Structure formats: structure tokens, C-alpha cells
Amino acid sequence: MPTYITTPIYYVNDRPHIGHCYTTLLADVTARFYRLLAEGPVFFLTGTDEHADKVVTSAAAHDMTPLQWADRNAAEFKKAFAFMNCTSDDFIRTTEDRHKSKVLEYIRALQKKGDIYLGDYVGWFDESQEEYLTETAAKEANFVSPVTGKPLVKKVEKNYFFRLSAYQAPLQKHFDSHPAFVMPEARRNEVLGRFREGLQDIPISRAVTSDPTSQWGIRMPDDPSHRIYVWIDALFNYLSVVDTPERRSFWPPAVHYIAKDILWFHAVIWPALLLALGRELPATVYSHAYWVRDGRKMSKSLGNFVTIEVLQAYAQKYSLDALRWYLVTQGPQGATDADFSHAKFVEVYNADLANGIGNCASRVSNMIEKYFAGSLPEYQSAWIDRRWETTSADAIPTYLRAARALDFGAAFEAASSLIKDVDDLISETKPFTLAKDMSANGAEVANILACCAESIRVASILLAPAMPQKMAQLWQAWGCTPPAGVGLEALCTFNGPHGLKPGARITKGDALFMRADPAEAPPA
Ligand code: MSP
């Protein structure tokens, strides 16, 4: 089955930071997981949202045209995601013709159906978020932006409206019959709560005036005095990119990854637009929480963003895969915010990586080198197989269940449990003591080390979506790079057709992760 995974398209006005990198990384891990499953083609999309008013003002401040400014910043996002080793299949920019022409097509279809009409709009506009607030929401927020605290502006406009109210009942039905439509649960409940207040039609255009800001954006079909509201333009990216003969089979998306800030647009407005267009709805909108720093929200005014430069410094010092591991396993995947803390980074790095898979793989390869001249020994597998069945075999179904439910924290914990099982096996059986008398214990030492090596191989496959480079390094040292297209379950069969074979060369290679000193200052 084709699998389609998306990230938000990011405002081209900001510089990429940990938040953008995190969501795109989650999507990358998901894409890599699905590619590993080899159940069908995978399409992973990210990109930039370029028609926001802010682009015009910032461009002017930098003496550039809006498009030049967007070109420059879109390139920054591309660079950031390449640095994170994210394997997106396409990068959409909403200023591209392939997107703009599709948006016009969708708007026309909705007009034809009577789901878009011209009316008057009076409302409270949050200029910093490019978003209108309902009267109730504006009152609740004391007429300032709930995000930036800037005063809301009262506006009356002739606008094109989308008949959102008509989709209350069908959407409710969809929510009722698809419990995984919005995840996690807390976010689903949040949406349903607001949803019950009732849906009102929403403006989807803005008037074009002599102000250059208002001239940026896609014009309404057959009415150049209006441009399409940036949010509506942006949401359509998910469809426009795959709405081609070659990519059509990817629709509908398996998951739209977003954070909690843009939940309503994705959980209500976007699905309503899709229902109106007669398109299938995405399986899941996954709305994670926020990275914060030292307990405080990251913001421009506090100047406390974990910037791309900070992330690069961590990757440089501890390796990119260690950074990916920390972000994925300690990130705000559920409903609770996560703190980016150096102490926590080092703790997790040492526990999971340096003292975890790194140390385990190096211990096992050292012993194989020492006792069997680096050649994987032959063994009689009876008790080893039993041990695998009783202690380790569950890790794979647990991993699969968790990863399919997009719970990568739990999935990688299951993968790491295999490493812990190997450490336990070594502590219990002490092959290094047995090896003192190889003529008496050689067969037993062979059994133990072959089991350990094979368990590590299985673990490395499960860990690869988070740490592709480090696992490839291990595969290289052990000559067990998995062939493409085989499928995770077959690859992970213990001593299966893709398992390590007796006689395989197990070389030590470079240490995967060196231990870190917790007292050392954060990399700068
Ligand atoms: N352009 C809109 C999205 C349109 S999608 C059709 C937008 N862009 S944004 O640049 O502001 O990006 C918001 C997204 O960035 C969040 O939903 C989240 O994915 C990511 N993050 C931004 N800050 C974040 C944190 N502090 N923590 C985690 N992710 C955050 O909204």
C-alpha cells in the first residue's frame, strides 16, 4: 500500500529551528520505518508556506522582492533538513506554479458546488498569526493575540466564505468512526470540545488594495480584487503535490504531522475542504506538543530558540544520529511539552548510546575478534533459540505495534530492550570467564557470542530509522547491510535468511559512540 507522510509547510519568514527540524525528523523516521516495512512506495513531503503578509514586509526591510526573500529562506529550510538527514521525496514551495494552478482548480470546484460564496466579514484579526479569531475566542484572549500578546485588530471585509457550517455533521460522523483521526487523545478531545460549539462559515480571501502586502498571494479565480487567504492556499499543498497521474495513488495521507499550534486548521478546516472536494480524508493528523527551553516557551522576544546552529554543534560533537535519537526519543511526541536540556542530552546519550548499543556492539565484536579471530563462530542453537524466544522475541511485535501507532518513543524502547537483553546475557553467562578454558568451553562461548551478535544485528535494523548512519556503520563492520526491499519482519527473523552466518567477518570498526563527560559544557 502506498504511504504518504507530510509535515507542515513552514513560514518562509522564520529561520529553521528545533521545532521545524523536530517535526520533519518525526516524518523522516516514519518514512524510513515504512520504507523498511517494504509494504509499498512511500512519499514524504515537506516544504515552505510563502504567501504570508510578513514575507512582503521582511523582504522590503531586506531590500528584496518577496520572491527573492522566499528563495533565500526556502533554501535555508532545505539545508536544515538535509543536515538532519531527512529523506523527503519532494519539497513544495507555495509560490511554485504546480501548486498555484492546482489551488485555483480546487477553489473553482468549490465555487461551482456552492461551497464558496461572497459575503461580509467582521472580525478580530491576529496579524502576527495571520488568523481571524471568533468573537468568543477574541474576548477570551482579552483582544490580544494568544500567541504573541499583540493587540487584535477589528476588521470589516468583503470576503469569499467557505461553507464550513455544512460540514459539521459529516465531520462529526468521521470523528466518531475514526478514533485515530486526530492524535494524541488529548488533542482529539480538545478539537471535539471546540467543535461542539458549532462551526461557522469562514472567510477564505482577503481584499487586494494598493498596499503591496495585500498584493502578495494567489488571486481568486475571476476576481483579482481578492487573494486567497494564506492558510487555505497552504493547506492545499498536501493535495496539490500528489494530484498528478503518477502520484495520485498516494492519496489519502497516512499522517499529517503538525504541532498543537495549528491543530484546528488541520483537524477541522482541512478535512472539511477535502469533504467538500469529495476527497478521502487523511488517516491521522498527529499533533505533537512543543519543545521548550529551560521550562519556557521559545520565542523571538526571549531569544531562546534552539537554533539550527545549536543543533549543528550537538551533531558535530556527539554525531548527528545521537541528536536524532535524543530528539525522537525525548521529544514532545505526546501532549506534554519537552525541555531541551544539555544535562538530559548527555544522560540519554551515555545511557542509550555510549553505554547502550555502542558499548554492547564493541564488547561483542572485541570478544569475537579475541576468541574466534573475528569470524562469527558456529553454534548449536537449541538453548540460545529458547532464550531468544523467552526474553527477546517480543521486542519485534512490540516495536511494530508502537511504530505503526506512531509511538516512536515506545518503538525505540523495545529496540533498545534487545541491547539490554544482550548485556544481561553477557553478565549472566560471563563468556570472558568461560573463554579462559576454550578447549572445555569453546562451544558455549560460541553459542553466547553468536546469539549476542545476531541480537545486536536485529536491534540495529529496528534502530535504523532513528540512526541510519550509525547503523550503516555497524552493518559495514559486520558485513550485514540489509538488502533493499526485503521487509522488516524478514530482516529481523532471528537467524533467518538474512541473519549473520557462521564464518561472517565481525570487525571492530570505530566505536559507534564515545562516552560523554556530563561535566563538560554544552557545545557552542
Ligand atoms: N505555515 C504554517 C503551516 C501551514 S501547514 C499547511 C505554520 N508554519 S510555522 O513555520 O509556524 O511552523 C509551525 C510548525 O513548526 C509547528 O506546527 C511545528 O510543526 C513546528 N514547530 C514550531 N515551533 C515548535 C516548537 N517549539 N516545538 C515543536 N515544534 C514546533 O504554522
Side-chain angles (χ1 to χ4, degrees):
M1 219 185 69
T3 303
Y4 180 28
I5 298 155
T6 71
T7 75
I9 48 171
Y10 304 103
Y11 284 131
V12 80
N13 226 36
D14 283 333
R15 295 213 58 223
H17 59 65
I18 187 173
H20 313 120
C21 289
Y22 174 70
T23 313
T24 306
L25 174 63
L26 268 188
D28 181 62
V29 169
T30 312
R32 287 178 187 268
F33 165 70
Y34 273 95
R35 289 190 204 113
L36 201 53
L37 284 178
E39 292 175 344
V42 174
F43 192 75
F44 162 21
L45 177 68
T46 190
T48 41
D49 183 357
E50 307 193 352
H51 287 131
D53 290 0
K54 287 179 276 190
V55 173
V56 182
T57 29
S58 306
H62 289 83
D63 242 354
M64 286 187 194
T65 67
L67 197 57
Q68 282 169 338
W69 177 243
D71 284 348
R72 191 176 103 169
N73 289 357
E76 292 294 316
F77 277 93
K78 284 187 185 169
K79 254 188 358 220
F81 301 150
F83 149 70
M84 292 295 297
N85 197 9
C86 289
T87 51
S88 57
D89 295 289
D90 200 350
F91 188 104
I92 182 67
R93 299 182 52 192
T94 52
T95 46
E96 289 176 77
D97 283 339
R98 60 174 173 149
H99 171 74
K100 292 194 287 191
S101 61
K102 286 286 177 189
V103 170
L104 292 179
E105 217 177 84
Y106 305 142
I107 296 283
R108 277 206 178 94
L110 294 174
Q111 284 178 315
K112 200 159 154 211
K113 222 177 142 222
D115 275 338
I116 287 179
Y117 63 90
L118 194 61
D120 269 333
Y121 186 82
V122 186
W124 293 98
F125 191 62
D126 178 347
E127 285 177 322
S128 52
Q129 295 305 101
E130 306 266 347
E131 184 184 359
Y132 272 101
L133 270 73
T134 62
E135 191 66 34
T136 338
K139 214 178 274 166
E140 262 172 30
N142 264 332
F143 301 98
V144 297
S145 162
V147 182
T148 58
K150 292 204 182 122
L152 300 174
V153 180
K154 190 156 196 175
K155 280 194 178 179
V156 185
E157 277 191 2
K158 257 279 174 260
N159 263 315
Y160 287 91
F161 282 76
F162 169 56
R163 217 175 283 285
L164 182 62
S165 56
Y167 292 92
Q168 172 105 28
L171 271 179
Q172 181 71 57
K173 207 167 133 209
H174 190 81
F175 269 97
D176 291 344
S177 52
H178 297 80
F181 180 55
V182 173
M183 285 174 70
E185 185 76 20
R187 294 276 107 87
R188 175 186 157 86
N189 293 337
E190 185 183 313
V191 173
L192 283 174
R194 184 167 163 198
F195 191 74
R196 281 189 206 102
E197 291 169 12
L199 297 182
Q200 286 162 13
D201 294 352
I202 51 158
I204 56 119
S205 72
R206 299 286 180 263
V208 173
T209 63
S210 56
D211 174 1
T213 312
S214 82
Q215 290 162 20
W216 182 236
I218 308 174
R219 301 293 163 106
M220 279 297 286
D222 311 317
D223 186 354
S225 70
H226 275 84
R227 64 188 165 133
I228 298 165
Y229 174 38
V230 63
W231 259 104
I232 301 300
D233 158 4
L235 286 166
F236 280 131
N237 91 88
Y238 301 127
L239 184 58
S240 71
V241 172
V242 296
D243 201 1
T244 63
E246 311 78 51
R247 291 177 172 175
R248 206 151 279 158
S249 67
F250 285 107
W251 194 264
V255 52
H256 286 316
Y257 275 114
I258 56 164
K260 57 186 178 179
D261 52 341
I262 55 177
L263 179 60
W264 186 252
F265 283 107
H266 284 81
V268 174
I269 295 171
W270 175 229
L273 286 168
L274 287 172
L275 287 175
L277 287 171
R279 305 281 181 150
E280 275 184 82
L281 300 195
T284 295
V285 173
Y286 193 106
S287 167
H288 61 73
Y290 262 17
W291 279 102
V292 295
R293 202 168 193 189
D294 306 318
R296 301 176 80 178
K297 194 177 159 124
M298 294 186 293
S299 70
K300 279 212 178 96
S301 49
L302 288 175
N304 62 345
F305 279 105
V306 178
T307 58
I308 195 78
E309 289 75 21
V310 171
L311 297 176
Q312 278 163 346
Y314 272 87
Q316 173 91 37
K317 173 136 194 213
Y318 301 98
S319 78
L320 175 67
D321 280 359
L323 174 68
R324 286 173 58 107
W325 178 259
Y326 174 72
L327 294 181
V328 171
T329 62
Q330 306 301 314
Q333 240 216 298
T336 322
D337 290 346
D339 212 357
F340 186 89
S341 121
H342 178 65
K344 182 82 185 166
F345 183 97
V346 175
E347 181 193 318
V348 168
Y349 173 86
N350 278 334
D352 294 354
L353 306 180
N355 298 332
I357 180 147
N359 181 54
C360 188
S362 100
R363 265 174 113 188
V364 170
S365 34
N366 276 340
M367 286 191 275
I368 293 175
E369 190 157 292
K370 197 157 157 199
Y371 310 136
F372 300 98
S375 159
L376 192 79
E378 191 102 41
Y379 64 96
Q380 300 91 43
S381 61
W383 76 264
I384 288 289
D385 284 351
R386 260 199 317 278
R387 178 178 167 103
W388 170 264
E389 287 305 324
T390 51
T391 60
S392 308
D394 266 0
I396 299 167
T398 305
Y399 173 94
L400 283 169
R401 226 177 301 118
R404 283 188 192 276
L406 308 175
D407 184 353
F408 286 99
F412 292 127
E413 202 174 296
S416 297
S417 76
L418 286 174
I419 300 298
K420 195 176 167 299
D421 290 344
V422 172
D423 282 334
D424 289 348
L425 177 63
I426 296 175
S427 314
E428 285 159 30
T429 58
K430 300 190 176 44
F432 39 85
T433 310
L434 293 174
K436 290 187 178 140
D437 186 355
M438 281 301 271
S439 55
N441 302 326
E444 195 63 342
V445 177
N447 268 341
I448 296 162
L449 293 182
C451 174
C452 291
E454 178 63 356
S455 299
I456 294 171
R457 183 196 66 83
V458 172
S460 72
I461 290 172
L462 303 181
L463 293 169
M467 299 190 288
Q469 287 170 343
K470 291 290 179 179
M471 296 308 103
Q473 186 188 327
L474 178 71
W475 298 334
Q476 186 120 44
W478 289 15
C480 62
T481 301
V486 168
L488 186 138
E489 282 181 81
L491 289 176
C492 288
T493 309
F494 187 77
N495 280 337
H498 302 283
L500 291 167
K501 301 281 175 300
R505 289 231 57 78
I506 304 291
T507 55
K508 260 176 18 190
D510 290 336
L512 292 174
F513 302 99
M514 304 295 280
R515 276 196 193 89
D517 177 359
E520 234 166 47

